[in-house]
Amino acid sequence: MATPVLDKVEAEASASPYITVTFRIRRFNPEVSAEAVWEDFQLEIDPKERVLDGLHKIKWDLDGTLTFRRSCAHGICGSDAMRINGRNRLACKTLIKDLNPEKPITVEPIKGLTVLKDLVVDMEPFFQAYRDVMPFLITKETNEPTRERLQSAEDRARFDDTTKCILCAACTSSCPVFWNDGQYFGPAAIVNAHRFIFDSRDEAGEQRLEILNDRDGVWRCRTTFNCTDACPRGIEVTKAIAEVKKALITRRF
Amino acid sequence: MKIHKYDTVIVGAGGAGMRAAIESTKRSRTAVLTKLYPTRSHTGAAQGGMAAALANVEEDNWEWHTFDTVKGGDYLVDQDAAEILAKEAIDSVLDLEKMGLPFNRTPNGTIDQRRFGGHSRNHGEAPVRRSCYAADRTGHMILQTLYQNCVKEGVEFFNEFYVLDQMITEEDGVKRSAGVVAYELATGEIHVFQAKAVIYASGGCGKFFRVTSNAHTLTGDGQAAVYRRGLPLEDMEFFQFHPTGIWRMGILLTEGARGEGGILRNKDGERFMEKYAPVMKDLASRDVVSRSIYTEIREGRGCGPEGDHVYLDLTHLPPEQLDAKLPDITEFARTYLGIEPYTDPIPIQPTAHYAMGGIPTNVEGEVLSDNSTVVPGLYAAGEVACVSVHGANRLGTNSLLDINVFGRRAGIAAAEYSQKADYVELPENPAEFVVSQIEQLRTSTGTERVAEIRRELQETMDANVMVFRTEQTIKTAVEKIAELRERYKNVAIQDKGKRFNTDLLEAIELGNLLDLAEVMAVSALARKESRGGHYREDYPNRDDVNFMRHTMAYREVGDDGTESIRLDYKPVVQTRYQPMERKY
């Protein structure tokens, strides 16, 4: 085969890459003040770097008090969902160049969960909703490994999309219904219920559907698609919710 | 300060910690202390699969798997442990499936398997399909499945609790674990957890390198906590450099990409691995492939204007196969490099990936205080531990296996121990060390910055103790680390608050990294041979006469308070396999 070439990327790499950008960050520290304020930081950054890299530059070189969660830095652990330029995204999966660095980049905590400090929110209500849908495989047989249980590739594919969830809360905290009423299970919990309802090995679909038939369940969804837009894993969240609604009506899943 | 009492305390909630917790919670009152929410752990970043000789798609058996593991580890593996790993792999995979793990399936509905580096048919004849996988997100599925089952079992988590100290009480000359001291991130409060049994499952320490696949949070906190208390660390000089990290960023691109048929090429488009590993080619063990990549780069056949990387070429694979089997890593290439893997090769370089060494344990997960003495009530499993099933070089897919096999074993052993043991009396002032450490950092008026010291540490580690090492480079690293440790005493933080003080925690984490980097470099300096992931250009051959032994590093404190590292050695357990020349 032909020698692979990579002209485009390497031409970019050789030029001096740094530009100056402004990060406009929503700051809140109840030990200092009860009010949240916007604070601007200017920094030099390569546009191919992540928003998370920018936050680190601020924390490490400018202001050590800036507080946010992060871990893997490549979109797998789900720690750093935040509202960037008004949209929920993972800071580690959002590149500066994709944001129009001419204007200040605004960074705020995700909405609908109590802000504890700067970009850190209270995740407990989010995980409680997740736990409430019984997010684990329920079968009549015991858990002891004896011989292999089979599942067809088609049955496995049926729920593939919703297995990708990393519980970052980008979807739930982008949902206007959730903003107005924190009792609503929210998209992420429904996605995780979907993952089991449509798993051919699971035997508790009816129970999960009953949980989601609650007044704070799937019927609160107003199909605004914010969740699907927000999902950093590309899960078709609104579609999954619709499938759960349909299963509730037809009792077929 | 709050005091808690539990039968069993588990430190860390990645794969090993949660696998242990599922067993331990059934048998004893268990608390899991974790500095991250459980689903944030770096197990979730593992991609390619979990090895088990299920023989679903072709002939295979656990003995071949044992041999590959021993050979992959360049014969530094304890062979009794490797045999347990390979035998229990099969139940371990089936167990995860029963817990709900959505493995990829074969057309007849069994768990699908694919090729992976170093895993072979009949002792090296040809690559074998042994890796059980879920696309290229096997670690994610394992982490989610284990967390789901922790929810099911009602496991009690203390999220965002940083364990900063291991309490040891010496009675009748025997060191016993009394529990741990933790710092609550949300409030700044200190918690003492008295426990009959403690299991460390706190993961690796790769963040002392700059180019690494490791999360920001992988700072060796568990290793550092026990090391500081006089317990040894084993084989710390052995660190794995994964061949295919995204160029300059280090983000992991699974070996499964080569298992699916991906090929490494140099700037001439040559499939260079044919020269270095005629049989296994691109699927040779990771240490071999990483050295081959750097050899190509050093000899001027690297790609790009600076010739500092090579290509992972997937362009000959059908897009449908990439979408089905490698969806995440192809997305990483698009997101972070702006490259379309259907049509363009991906620039890669080796990335610091995995610590083979760690806290020495026996096959029940019991921590050792020397070559053979168990510390009653103290356990470790996963990357933090050294059983040693990985020896001098871990095979791909053996770490997801390790956390499940030895996480389960440690969970059972610790819970059974705590059911029959009594509490060990707490030390007189149990939180003294942590209180003074935090106070010192909060009130320091020093002039050194955490970020700057960490940057210099990472630079010296990348430059001097990576894939190729010599006496000179390692000495340079040892001296630099000593300088940085001295400067660290003068470090100051800006955030003096109690609430979510991540500035403070980063400073503490840096202290842990410095301790472990020093152990690594000093252990590497003394090992005057090349074996697995430890390659000495000044001693390019393996030396079984002098170095077929595990390194045991102890922290010593002199009467005048000066710290030093004492190295000792431990024999390797050999059962079935005599050391042979390692060829792929």
Side-chain angles (χ1 to χ4, degrees):
Chain A
M1 65 171 280
T3 304
V5 285
L6 261 182
D7 298 328
K8 194 180 64 182
V9 168
E10 282 156 8
E12 281 173 17
S14 55
S16 169
Y18 288 92
I19 59 164
T20 305
V21 295
T22 302
F23 272 55
R24 181 163 293 165
I25 301 176
R26 193 71 173 161
R27 303 293 307 268
F28 172 65
N29 183 354
E31 285 183 286
V32 176
S33 161
E35 297 294 310
V37 293
W38 290 100
E39 187 173 1
D40 283 7
F41 295 92
Q42 286 216 328
L43 51 138
E44 302 284 301
I45 196 162
D46 180 338
K48 292 200 290 292
E49 287 188 88
R50 300 158 272 201
V51 169
L52 179 64
D53 296 315
L55 293 173
H56 273 143
K57 280 177 206 277
I58 295 167
K59 183 172 183 65
W60 293 343
D61 299 332
L62 302 172
D63 182 354
T65 68
L66 179 67
T67 304
F68 49 92
R69 293 189 177 106
R70 89 288 187 254
S71 186
C72 79
H74 65 287
I76 294 299
C77 76
S79 300
D80 63 348
M82 35 191 100
R83 207 168 151 80
I84 298 166
N85 283 358
R87 241 191 80 187
N88 279 6
R89 320 172 199 237
L90 297 181
C92 62
K93 250 189 132 170
T94 308
L95 304 193
I96 302 293
K97 69 180 175 62
D98 298 330
L99 286 175
N100 183 13
E102 304 282 305
K103 287 189 181 170
I105 294 167
T106 63
V107 185
E108 307 162 71
I110 48 176
K111 285 171 73 173
L113 295 160
T114 308
V115 180
L116 301 175
K117 184 179 175 184
D118 291 346
L119 304 171
V120 174
V121 300
D122 180 9
M123 293 294 286
E124 272 311 314
F126 172 81
F127 278 102
Q128 189 55 52
Y130 167 80
R131 289 191 289 263
D132 285 345
V133 301
M134 301 196 298
F136 39 81
L137 193 76
I138 298 175
T139 59
K140 291 191 188 87
E141 57 183 315
T142 61
N143 224 7
E144 292 307 310
T146 43
R147 61 190 169 81
E148 195 175 330
R149 172 174 53 195
L150 305 185
Q151 180 174 47
S152 73
E154 294 70 34
D155 284 344
R156 165 65 179 80
R158 180 69 189 84
F159 64 102
D160 186 61
D161 200 36
T162 46
T163 63
K164 296 188 298 196
C165 176
I166 55 174
L167 298 168
C168 67
C171 60
T172 295
S173 64
S174 73
C175 173
V177 179
F178 182 77
W179 296 340
N180 291 327
D181 178 5
Q183 295 299 307
Y184 171 45
F185 277 97
I190 301 170
V191 158
N192 280 281
H194 178 284
R195 179 250 171 273
F196 289 101
I197 292 167
F198 293 94
D199 185 337
S200 60
R201 300 170 298 174
D202 187 76
E203 293 167 31
E206 285 286 346
Q207 274 170 274
R208 290 195 184 83
L209 286 175
E210 272 320 305
I211 292 169
L212 294 174
N213 203 14
D214 185 85
R215 60 179 291 274
D216 294 317
V218 285
W219 305 114
R220 302 292 300 274
C221 166
R222 289 288 171 270
T223 329
T224 54
F225 284 91
N226 281 20
C227 50
T228 301
D229 291 343
C231 180
R233 301 287 286 151
I235 299 171
E236 294 182 274
V237 182
T238 314
K239 184 179 165 201
I241 297 172
E243 287 177 351
V244 173
K245 287 177 178 172
K246 194 174 164 203
L248 261 168
I249 295 167
T250 62
R251 296 284 162 170
R252 275 215 302 269
F253 46 86
Chain B
M1 187 180 83
K2 275 190 187 149
I3 296 189
H4 309 254
K5 265 183 146 176
Y6 282 86
D7 293 332
T8 308
V9 160
I10 298 173
V11 183
M18 291 204 283
R19 189 67 190 82
I22 289 168
E23 298 303 328
S24 167
T25 298
K26 289 174 187 165
R27 296 168 170 87
S28 69
R29 187 160 175 267
T30 299
V32 180
L33 315 186
T34 170
K35 75 174 184 179
L36 301 170
Y37 274 83
T39 56
R40 312 300 184 218
S41 309
H42 213 52
T43 296
Q47 298 167 353
M50 171 167 166
L54 301 183
N56 278 357
V57 286
E58 61 181 307
E59 187 186 358
D60 198 6
N61 64 63
W62 63 259
E63 191 273 322
W64 294 354
H65 184 186
T66 309
F67 172 78
D68 289 337
T69 300
V70 171
K71 177 184 170 189
D74 220 346
Y75 295 90
L76 195 71
V77 171
D78 285 332
Q79 297 183 10
D80 55 340
E83 190 166 318
I84 287 170
L85 183 82
K87 271 186 187 165
E88 294 187 7
I90 294 157
D91 274 356
S92 216
V93 165
L94 298 185
D95 214 6
L96 284 171
E97 196 284 329
K98 293 278 161 84
M99 288 188 203
L101 199 140
F103 284 107
N104 275 44
R105 300 287 176 163
T106 64
N108 59 15
T110 57
I111 294 167
D112 199 8
Q113 298 186 274
R114 68 175 162 212
R115 290 176 181 158
F116 236 81
H119 290 281
S120 74
R121 169 162 53 86
N122 194 17
H123 313 94
E125 276 180 12
V128 74
R129 290 172 65 179
R130 184 177 292 148
S131 165
C132 309
Y133 68 98
D136 55 354
R137 38 180 92 108
T138 315
H140 164 77
M141 298 301 188
I142 288 178
L143 192 69
Q144 296 293 327
T145 300
L146 291 175
Y147 182 60
Q148 290 155 7
N149 281 271
C150 285
V151 171
K152 186 179 177 184
E153 297 294 336
V155 171
E156 193 175 348
F157 288 101
F158 288 79
N159 295 325
E160 298 184 321
F161 275 58
Y162 284 62
V163 168
L164 299 184
D165 196 17
Q166 164 65 38
M167 294 184 290
I168 299 270
T169 302
E170 208 159 319
E171 285 173 4
D172 313 325
V174 180
K175 283 180 173 156
R176 292 169 189 276
S177 169
V180 298
V181 184
Y183 174 93
E184 183 181 2
L185 184 64
T187 61
E189 192 163 9
I190 290 168
H191 298 256
V192 170
F193 284 83
Q194 189 175 16
K196 296 173 187 172
V198 171
I199 306 172
Y200 279 90
S202 47
C205 52
K207 217 54 201 176
F208 49 42
F209 289 100
R210 189 180 68 79
V211 176
T212 173
S213 63
N214 281 204
H216 287 286
T217 43
L218 285 173
T219 51
D221 309 336
Q223 295 92 321
V226 302
Y227 173 68
R228 213 165 31 231
R229 290 290 168 197
L231 298 176
L233 295 176
E234 181 174 349
D235 288 343
M236 289 296 283
E237 64 271 40
F238 295 102
F239 206 91
Q240 177 164 85
F241 302 91
H242 191 292
T244 54
I246 289 183
W247 176 45
R248 291 186 175 164
M249 297 182 84
I251 295 171
L252 179 68
L253 299 178
T254 177
E255 194 167 299
R258 283 169 282 139
E260 293 290 341
I263 290 169
L264 296 171
R265 296 186 190 280
N266 62 20
K267 71 168 185 184
D268 304 319
E270 182 194 5
R271 183 182 192 178
F272 58 85
M273 280 312 299
E274 288 178 333
K275 293 183 294 193
Y276 302 97
V279 177
M280 298 293 279
K281 300 188 175 86
D282 299 273
L283 289 173
S285 65
R286 289 175 178 175
D287 57 328
V288 171
V289 180
S290 286
R291 275 195 295 281
S292 306
I293 291 171
Y294 272 124
T295 303
E296 291 295 302
I297 289 172
R298 285 173 155 204
E299 292 177 0
R301 293 184 295 278
C303 308
E306 292 167 44
D308 60 352
H309 55 275
V310 299
Y311 290 137
L312 172 63
D313 183 6
L314 307 175
T315 58
H316 54 291
L317 302 176
E320 313 80 67
Q321 186 184 353
L322 297 183
D323 293 348
K325 303 292 181 66
L326 303 167
D328 278 2
I329 63 141
T330 46
E331 194 200 325
F332 296 156
R334 291 178 195 119
T335 302
Y336 296 111
L337 294 166
I339 280 178
E340 177 45 68
Y342 295 161
T343 51
D344 290 308
I346 307 167
I348 57 98
Q349 72 178 92
T351 181
H353 186 54
Y354 186 89
M356 270 73 75
I359 302 170
T361 72
N362 62 23
V363 296
E364 306 304 330
E366 296 173 301
V367 171
L368 304 175
S369 61
D370 55 31
N371 286 1
S372 57
T373 312
V374 164
V375 182
L378 197 58
Y379 299 79
E383 190 175 347
V384 72
C386 181
V387 182
S388 142
V389 286
H390 308 307
N393 170 66
R394 175 175 68 73
L395 290 189
T397 68
N398 266 358
S399 65
L400 289 178
L401 177 57
D402 176 8
I403 60 178
N404 278 289
V405 167
F406 290 100
R408 176 178 169 276
R409 283 178 156 255
I412 293 171
E416 285 178 351
Y417 174 82
S418 65
Q419 288 313 93
K420 61 178 204 279
D422 288 325
Y423 285 102
V424 172
E425 209 172 316
L426 292 177
E428 199 166 319
N429 192 350
E432 186 181 16
F433 169 77
V434 173
V435 169
S436 71
Q437 182 186 30
I438 288 170
E439 201 49 32
Q440 202 261 324
L441 283 166
R442 267 216 194 96
T443 57
S444 167
T445 54
T447 51
E448 293 287 352
R449 296 291 309 261
V450 169
E452 182 52 33
I453 294 179
R454 185 173 48 214
R455 236 181 318 254
E456 290 184 35
L457 172 67
Q458 292 171 343
E459 275 165 19
T460 198
M461 296 296 279
D462 273 19
N464 296 308
V465 285
M466 235 179 112
V467 172
F468 291 107
R469 303 166 175 180
T470 67
E471 174 111 6
Q472 194 47 53
T473 64
I474 302 169
K475 276 187 172 158
T476 304
V478 169
E479 282 162 24
K480 182 69 185 178
I481 295 163
E483 175 212 312
L484 294 174
R485 278 167 60 89
E486 208 44 45
R487 283 168 53 192
Y488 178 75
K489 293 176 184 163
N490 190 30
V491 85
I493 55 173
Q494 286 177 296
D495 194 339
K496 313 286 186 187
K498 294 221 162 208
R499 206 177 161 91
F500 284 95
N501 192 339
T502 52
D503 203 22
L504 171 72
L505 270 309
E506 281 195 38
I508 291 173
E509 289 171 336
L510 174 63
N512 294 339
L513 288 176
L514 285 166
D515 284 354
L516 298 179
E518 186 180 39
V519 175
M520 180 182 184
V522 168
S523 302
L525 190 60
R527 186 172 284 276
K528 295 179 187 225
E529 65 156 354
S530 291
R531 185 186 295 271
H534 171 73
Y535 190 82
R536 291 277 302 252
E537 290 183 87
D538 40 357
Y539 300 94
N541 298 316
R542 196 175 75 196
D543 175 359
D544 288 337
V545 175
N546 295 303
F547 289 102
M548 176 61 93
R549 56 186 192 174
H550 300 290
T551 306
M552 301 285 276
Y554 296 80
R555 175 174 178 265
E556 303 261 292
V557 183
D559 294 337
D560 57 351
T562 53
E563 289 177 39
S564 60
I565 297 171
R566 176 173 64 86
L567 296 183
D568 196 359
Y569 292 91
K570 184 172 91 167
V572 175
V573 179
Q574 293 183 49
T575 55
R576 292 167 184 264
Y577 309 107
Q578 286 304 309
M580 291 188 299
E581 194 194 348
R582 193 154 155 268
K583 282 186 186 159
Y584 281 104

